[in-house]
Amino acid sequence: MRVLGIDPGLTRCGVGVVEGVAGRPLTMIGVGVVRTSPDAGLGDRLVAVERGIEQWLDEHSPGFVAVERVFAQHNVRTVMGTAQASAVAMLCAARRGIPVALHTPSEVKAAVTGSGRADKDQVGAMVTRLLRLDAPPKPADAADALALAICHIWRAPAQNRLQQAVAAHRTSGASRTPGASRIPGAPGISRTPGAAGAPRTPDAPSTPGTPRTLKGRTA
């Protein structure tokens, strides 16, 4: 499995490619940052981000793209730029038919370090150790992109099993006939609503051998 992790941002958009499968050593294929100038217009910056991501997709041909899920922050300007860069990343992947997964920062930290509250230094140190690098990738955006790719490789098998189970449950539920309850022990036979417990015939004897009485006389 080859995954392109993207830590979205307008000024610095971290990108990192990791290859491997869960439970085995992982390999870093490439890491870097797509940069744009703060002095450029918003449209030009988004185009620069798109071109940078397209180059990484062309060069490394990942099978999956993992993008950090954007959360609201106090700095509205920052979160808007991050969200816009995230949308560009998803657009680039979707245009090529590459599956896109979103992972929250806490999910990534927990997957890589074991703690959802780990700081950037801890994430960088664990990425260095897991990928057997000589030093933590710089800047932190690059290390975060690698952490996203690692998180997806490790979480994808469990997510796939969950999605398959949900799809199977929906399929089995749709195949049942609404309103018809099955009679226990009788496969393929449905009970008609309201017919449960068929009434006895009024003049049928309730006990075998008991004489039937008609108008006070014994029959």
Side-chain angles (χ1 to χ4, degrees):
M1 177 185 295
R2 178 172 290 194
V3 180
L4 171 62
I6 299 178
D7 182 38
L10 272 182
T11 303
R12 294 187 308 273
C13 181
V15 286
V17 181
V18 178
E19 189 171 66
V21 295
R24 295 188 179 183
L26 306 176
T27 302
M28 185 190 76
I29 305 300
V31 66
V33 175
V34 177
R35 300 178 183 271
T36 68
S37 172
D39 298 329
L42 175 60
D44 293 334
R45 299 181 75 182
L46 293 175
V47 169
V49 171
E50 179 192 22
R51 289 174 177 170
I53 294 175
E54 290 286 355
Q55 290 177 357
W56 278 81
L57 293 173
D58 287 338
E59 183 176 353
H60 299 288
S61 301
F64 301 87
V65 172
V67 183
E68 182 177 285
R69 186 184 296 274
V70 180
F71 274 84
Q73 301 176 358
H74 296 296
N75 191 331
V76 177
R77 182 176 180 180
T78 299
V79 74
M80 284 296 295
T82 302
Q84 290 162 343
S86 176
V88 170
M90 290 187 285
L91 173 63
C92 291
R95 191 157 48 199
R96 296 172 180 242
I98 303 175
V100 179
L102 300 177
H103 300 285
T104 66
S106 59
E107 287 175 347
V108 176
K109 293 175 182 178
V112 175
T113 70
S115 172
R117 297 183 179 182
D119 57 29
K120 287 188 175 294
D121 290 338
Q122 291 174 309
V123 173
M126 285 304 300
V127 166
T128 303
R129 178 180 177 183
L130 293 169
L131 298 178
R132 304 176 303 283
L133 306 177
D134 295 331
K138 298 293 183 181
D141 309 84
D144 289 344
L146 291 174
L148 275 158
I150 294 172
C151 173
H152 184 72
I153 291 174
W154 285 353
R155 292 174 60 93
Q159 290 179 336
N160 290 339
R161 288 194 296 270
L162 178 60
Q163 292 173 355
Q164 291 172 358
V166 171
H169 177 72
R170 290 177 177 173
T171 302
S172 62
S175 63
R176 295 177 182 175
T177 304
S181 58
R182 304 183 71 83
I183 300 176
I189 301 178
S190 297
R191 179 184 298 169
T192 304
R200 294 172 175 267
T201 305
D203 57 351
S206 57
T207 305
T210 302
R212 183 170 52 189
T213 302
L214 296 175
K215 297 183 180 180
R217 292 183 300 174
T218 300

